Amino acid sequence: MTGAPFRWDLARRQRLGSLLDGPPAWDYPAFFDELRECCARVAAAAADGDMVFLGRSPESLFDYLSGALADTAWRDRLVLLNLSMLHDTAEAVARSNPAGLRAVHAQLEAAGLSPAEIAAGERPRVFVDLVYAGRTFGRFLGLLEHWALADGVDVAAVHRRIRFLGIT
């Protein structure tokens, strides 16, 4: 996908090159069991929706599910959206950094996540993140609403096609 930040393709081990060289990362004994259980719950809660993993926090879930679903019809229903919306509203970014807001729009369009694409999509988009206070989801929704209004897209149609799945 053009416009997306580079990320190693962890679903295809042969493409990792020397990425696996060196000592393994620290984990704890129950990590993989807990990760598998969390992934199963996320997939079940997403039901028929496309899963969009928002930010860096859910990367391990995206990676695990990308591998688990690699040879299934669900392989293209996972998106990792490396975007943080913790501190700024769309309106504030539009005023202070319009080029930055255009770059965010380009990244979302490259991932098929413009308001128009969401509203017209055949399946809902389920945005998944680890939640502390919920600001990221609120700011991200504000970004979609701001963009939809600017483009003349029905905000209610966008609302009908999205869900938020918070992991606590």
Side-chain angles (χ1 to χ4, degrees):
M1 129 177 69
T2 3
F6 173 79
R7 189 159 190 285
W8 290 100
D9 182 356
L10 299 179
R12 292 171 181 80
R13 188 175 183 86
Q14 67 275 16
R15 294 187 181 175
L16 295 178
S18 63
L19 185 64
L20 297 178
D21 294 350
W26 179 87
D27 66 4
Y28 57 94
F31 175 76
F32 289 108
D33 291 337
E34 291 176 4
L35 178 62
R36 180 176 25 262
E37 181 180 347
C38 185
C39 285
R41 288 178 182 214
V42 165
D48 64 333
D50 292 342
M51 292 173 270
V52 181
F53 296 87
L54 187 57
R56 293 192 58 210
S57 300
E59 281 182 341
S60 57
L61 301 170
F62 172 82
D63 293 338
Y64 188 97
L65 286 169
S66 292
L69 301 174
D71 294 328
T72 73
W74 278 68
R75 73 181 165 278
D76 296 326
R77 293 179 68 173
L78 305 172
V79 174
L80 180 63
L81 185 60
N82 194 352
L83 177 68
S84 173
M85 292 292 299
L86 181 61
H87 298 292
D88 292 321
T89 64
E91 293 81 6
V93 174
R95 284 190 304 275
S96 66
N97 187 358
L101 187 59
R102 285 192 301 275
V104 169
H105 287 183
Q107 182 182 358
L108 290 169
E109 284 177 330
L113 295 171
S114 72
E117 291 169 298
I118 291 171
E122 70 179 69
R123 291 183 298 269
R125 307 295 169 83
V126 181
F127 293 92
V128 180
D129 194 11
L130 279 70
V131 175
Y132 174 69
R135 285 186 297 259
T136 298
F137 281 155
R139 298 265 165 80
F140 184 72
L141 178 59
L143 169 75
L144 291 176
E145 291 170 341
H146 181 266
W147 189 5
L149 289 170
D151 283 1
V153 175
D154 181 9
V155 174
V158 175
H159 286 178
R160 285 191 297 272
R161 304 303 294 161
I162 60 175
R163 292 183 271 177
F164 292 100
L165 176 54
I167 300 166
T168 58

